Amino acid sequence: VQLQASGGGLVQAGDSLRLSCVDSGRAFYAVGWFRQAPGREREFVAAIAWRNGIKYYAEDVKGRFTISRDPAKNTAYLQMNGLKPEDTAVYYCATTPQRIFGPSGSDLYDSWGQGTLVTVSS
């Protein structure tokens, strides 16, 4: 398995979680986090360009979520603060070898982790 996502769990509204995504070492340009709630399409959450650290966020997570990376550990993180019940979803990390210039669809990413479930109770 190339990507391993972890850190999900059951929390209450207002709580925080930090997701981690470890890549096994294939070269890529950026790491993205996506989420998919039951009955909904997969949606973009955040992305970070690996070399220069430029970050992009979906509008509804700006100010609450922070994406970061640790190149020495080949790990990307998604710090999620102020969680809301509508954040409940399976969260996936993915990598792309293509340059990114902003929030983008999942079809730009070609390597995916298995997903980690985040459940936020009200």
Side-chain angles (χ1 to χ4, degrees):
V1 178
Q2 184 166 323
L3 288 172
Q4 293 278 0
S6 62
L10 172 63
V11 297
Q12 294 185 331
D15 285 351
S16 299
L17 278 175
R18 188 177 78 158
L19 307 183
S20 300
C21 176
V22 182
D23 184 85
S24 64
R26 190 196 70 153
F28 51 86
Y29 182 87
V31 174
W33 285 97
F34 292 79
R35 65 187 180 187
Q36 187 166 18
R40 300 187 63 177
E41 293 186 354
R42 190 170 298 186
E43 63 178 10
F44 173 85
V45 176
I48 185 166
W50 200 251
R51 181 170 295 180
N52 59 27
I54 295 178
K55 305 172 184 182
Y56 305 98
Y57 295 96
E59 285 298 321
D60 58 351
V61 305
K62 280 184 179 178
R64 298 189 298 124
F65 291 10
T66 302
I67 190 170
S68 61
R69 87 259 195 253
D70 184 346
K73 297 181 179 179
N74 246 26
T75 301
Y77 303 97
L78 185 67
Q79 177 67 42
M80 304 186 295
N81 298 329
L83 283 162
K84 305 175 181 179
E86 51 264 44
D87 294 319
T88 295
V90 177
Y91 283 71
Y92 298 89
C93 64
T95 60
T96 176
Q98 302 184 49
R99 292 188 67 181
I100 60 171
F101 301 95
S104 57
S106 60
D107 56 353
L108 191 66
Y109 293 76
D110 63 354
S111 183
W112 291 81
Q114 81 283 10
T116 184
L117 177 62
V118 173
T119 304
V120 185
S121 64
S122 56

